[in-house]
C-alpha cells in the first residue's frame, strides 16, 4: 500500500489510523520504520505513541537507543538503531527482552535480520512537496493489518 502524505498532519493521521487497526494487546508486534533522515519516522512513531495514550514528551531514542512507554494497551518500545555498527549489538540493547511489547524500530537497515521477525515495514520517502508512505506486510498478520489500514 502506498500513500501520499502532504504534510506532517497527514503523517500523524497515518500513525493514528495504524494504531486503530492493531489488536487491543500490542505485545509481540514489530514495525520497522525505514526512510531517509527527516522523512517522518519519528513523527509517525510519536503519533502512534500519543494515540495509544501517552501524554508526556516523546523524545527521539537516538541517544538512549530505546524509549519504553507503559500504556494501557501494553508496552511500546521506540527503538533507534542508527548508532549500531553491527547487528550483533542488538543483544546489548536487550532486544530479546522487548518481545513483551510493541517494537517500533527506526533505521532497521542497521540490523537486516530484523525483517525476518517483523510484521510490517513502513518506508517513508520525500515526494514532491510532501512524503510518500509505503506499508508492506512482512507476516500474515502484518499483511492483514496493512489491508485494514488501506480500507480505513
Amino acid at each position: 500500500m502506498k500513500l501520499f502524505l502532504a504534510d506532517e498532519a497527514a503523517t500523524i493521521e497515518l500513525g493514528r489510523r495504524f494504531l486503530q487497526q492493531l489488536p487491543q494487546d500490542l505485545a509481540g508486534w514489530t514495525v520497522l520504520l525505514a526512510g531517509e533522515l527527516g522523512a517522518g519516522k519519528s513523527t509517525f512513531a510519536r503519533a502512534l505513541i500519543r494515540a495509544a495514550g501517552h501524554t508526556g514528551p516523546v523524545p527521539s531514542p537516538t541517544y538512549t537507543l530505546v524509549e519504553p512507554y507503559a500504556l494501557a494497551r501494553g508496552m511500546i518500545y521506540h527503538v533507534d538503531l542508527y548508532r549500531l555498527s553491527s547487528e550483533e549489538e542488538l543483544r546489548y540493547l536487550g532486544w530479546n527482552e522487548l518481545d513483551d511489547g510493541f517494537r517500533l524500530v527506526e533505521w532497521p537497515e542497521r540490523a537486516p535480520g530484523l525483517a525476518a521477525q517483523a510484521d510490517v515495514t513502513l518506508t517513508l520517502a520525500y515526494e514532491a512537496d510532501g512524503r510518500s508512505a509505503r506499508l508492506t506486510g512482512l507476516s500474515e498478520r502484518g499483511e492483514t493489518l496493512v489491508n485494514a489500514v488501506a480500507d480505513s
Side-chain angles (χ1 to χ4, degrees), residues 1-7 10-11 14 17 124-134:
M1 172 183 118
K2 186 175 178 184
L3 298 168
F4 178 72
L5 305 171
D7 53 24
T11 304
L14 177 60
R17 282 176 47 203
L124 293 154
Y126 293 98
E127 184 174 313
D129 290 338
R131 308 285 190 271
S132 66
R134 189 176 72 241

Side-chain angles (χ1 to χ4, degrees), residues 48-133:
L48 188 145
I49 292 164
R50 287 187 176 128
H54 182 72
T55 56
V58 181
S60 172
T62 301
Y63 296 102
T64 59
L65 305 181
V66 179
E67 286 287 339
Y69 300 90
L71 303 168
R73 291 176 66 177
M75 290 298 297
I76 295 179
Y77 299 103
H78 186 188
V79 182
D80 188 322
L81 302 181
Y82 185 75
R83 298 194 179 283
L84 260 61
S85 58
S86 71
E87 193 160 349
E88 293 79 39
E89 291 181 50
L90 283 175
R91 66 184 167 140
Y92 298 113
L93 282 178
W95 179 258
N96 292 335
E97 287 80 44
L98 304 181
D99 61 0
D100 69 326
F102 180 86
R103 298 179 284 201
L104 276 168
V105 183
E106 294 190 41
W107 300 101
E109 59 274 11
R110 301 285 192 178
L114 287 182
Q117 52 185 292
D119 297 293
V120 175
T121 295
L122 170 60
T123 305
L124 293 154
Y126 293 98
E127 184 174 313
D129 290 338
R131 308 285 190 271
S132 66

Side-chain angles (χ1 to χ4, degrees), residues 38-54:
K41 299 179 298 294
S42 292
T43 299
F44 176 87
R46 282 185 189 101
L48 188 145
I49 292 164
R50 287 187 176 128
H54 182 72

